[in-house]
Amino acid sequence: MTSITTPARELPLPLRRLLHARESGVFAALVALFVLGVVLSPSFAQSDNLLSVGQQIAQIGIMAAGVTFVILNGEIDLSVGSIYALSAISTGMLISDGWSWPLAMLAGLVVGVLAGLLNGLAVVVLGVPSFIVTLGTLSVFRGLALLISDGAPISLSSSQPGVAEFNLLGQGELFGLIPMQFVIFAVVAAIGVVLLSRSRFGFNTYAVGGNQEAARLVGVNVKRVKLTAFVLSGFTAALAGVLGLSFLSYVQGVTGQGMELTVISAVIIGGAALFGGSGTMWGTVIGVAFIGLLQNILNIKGISSFWQTVVTGLVIVAAVAADTWQRRRKTRA
């Protein structure tokens, strides 16, 4: 008698990869959330609304791409919200002082890279746990943003030289349709996918996160891998901050408070393991999209922002609980 079931090994390779992927459950939840949004509101699936969601998640997504590398290394970066503000403040002040916007933007990105480098050096050279380091630099970078701006907001006017062109980064649309911020997020995510899946750095990242001592024994430069991850995290936080300034033409020292929690949440919801060694850039993209759609649905239904915070927190707890349960099941097996 011939069985009607298909052995897993006989399934097409892409389907097998999807079924066994860590992110498959999150992707299924994303699809279910999308269907729920369509049922709850006819306007949810309209292109204008979905493009708006794309614009809203772009900055969080860019930051999450960098933080993914840190978490895969088994570390954490709580300072990205403060780096976001410090880089935006630096860029805005330089533009206001008459710098051309490309140079001012470059300087803002350098600020983010240096901030990430400082975090990384404290972790890999001094041996301080990344949670403690970045908890401290969260306040340090935020304080610097307030100090250099004297606590005053920075506003850019389109009448200032180059500001109109600078604003196109945050406010412009590709082909008059796709928000430029989303395009930049897509490019950053694509680079992240290539780095993690096609480069030696990506292989070393998983090796360090999976077993740091084993990685060291086979010749991986653990300190360099971790340092690079923190630099990437600082760079993407700075890039997001510059885009935020470009979008609003406004920034102040308290801008970006709490963003680090949303960013880390997106990475964890996307399937990255809290203790490193497991997760993908695709998973992070799915996690970012999940948070964006969830918040959009709650906004459409007029749910209070306070309840939105509660719901988002519950989703994070559920994602971490699922990760813990999966790890325990693998251990028992």
Side-chain angles (χ1 to χ4, degrees), residues 1-295:
M1 183 175 179
T2 304
S3 172
I4 59 174
T5 60
T6 303
R9 65 178 179 275
E10 294 180 7
L11 292 173
L13 181 59
L15 181 57
R16 272 189 282 150
R17 287 178 175 173
L18 176 62
L19 290 176
H20 290 87
R22 187 183 183 88
E23 302 79 20
S24 58
V26 183
F27 183 74
L30 179 66
V31 172
L33 186 64
F34 184 87
V35 172
L36 177 64
V38 172
V39 171
L40 292 177
S41 174
S43 64
F44 173 78
Q46 293 180 356
S47 59
D48 287 347
N49 182 62
L50 294 180
L51 288 171
S52 176
V53 172
Q55 173 130 298
Q56 292 166 12
I57 67 174
Q59 293 173 36
I60 293 295
I62 291 169
M63 296 169 74
V67 170
T68 298
F69 289 96
V70 175
I71 291 180
L72 288 178
N73 273 281
E75 305 292 348
I76 198 75
D77 190 349
L78 299 173
S79 67
V80 288
S82 298
I83 296 175
Y84 175 101
L86 180 59
S87 297
I89 287 281
S90 301
T91 302
M93 291 182 67
L94 291 175
I95 291 176
S96 297
D97 286 343
W99 284 43
S100 66
W101 72 263
L103 284 178
M105 178 177 174
L106 179 61
L109 295 177
V110 169
V111 166
V113 168
L114 292 176
L117 181 63
L118 178 63
N119 284 336
L121 288 174
V123 172
V124 304
V125 176
L126 300 181
V128 183
S130 57
F131 178 85
I132 302 300
V133 169
T134 58
L135 183 63
T137 54
L138 178 153
S139 296
V140 171
F141 299 148
R142 179 72 60 188
L144 287 174
L146 291 167
L147 280 171
I148 64 175
S149 63
D150 200 24
I154 306 296
S155 296
L156 301 180
S157 171
S158 56
S159 61
Q160 293 175 260
V163 170
E165 292 80 4
F166 174 67
N167 286 346
L168 290 176
L169 290 174
Q171 302 173 15
E173 296 176 336
L174 183 65
F175 307 124
L177 179 66
I178 307 174
M180 280 302 300
Q181 287 194 72
F182 183 76
V183 173
I184 295 172
F185 167 43
V187 171
V188 169
I191 294 173
V193 168
V194 172
L195 282 176
L196 280 179
S197 62
R198 303 292 181 184
S199 72
R200 180 173 295 275
F201 171 69
F203 174 81
N204 291 343
T205 295
Y206 284 111
V208 171
N211 190 319
Q212 180 172 307
E213 187 57 31
R216 182 182 290 107
L217 290 175
V218 297
V220 175
N221 190 325
V222 174
K223 291 184 177 181
R224 181 184 298 169
V225 171
K226 289 192 175 188
L227 189 62
T228 303
F230 278 104
V231 169
L232 287 173
S233 182
F235 173 79
T236 54
L239 177 59
V242 170
L243 289 177
L245 173 65
S246 173
F247 180 63
L248 297 174
S249 293
Y250 176 90
V251 66
Q252 54 183 335
V254 295
T255 297
Q257 283 186 332
M259 289 184 76
E260 59 279 345
L261 299 181
T262 304
V263 168
I264 293 171
S265 301
V267 179
I268 299 303
I269 289 173
L274 276 171
F275 301 104
S278 181
T280 67
M281 193 61 63
W282 283 117
T284 293
V285 171
I286 294 172
V288 170
F290 186 92
I291 289 180
L293 289 182
L294 177 62
Q295 292 179 340

Side-chain angles (χ1 to χ4, degrees), residues 298-299 302-312:
L298 295 175
N299 284 331
I303 305 299
S304 164
S305 60
F306 304 128
W307 278 109
Q308 290 186 34
T309 303
V310 171
V311 172
T312 302

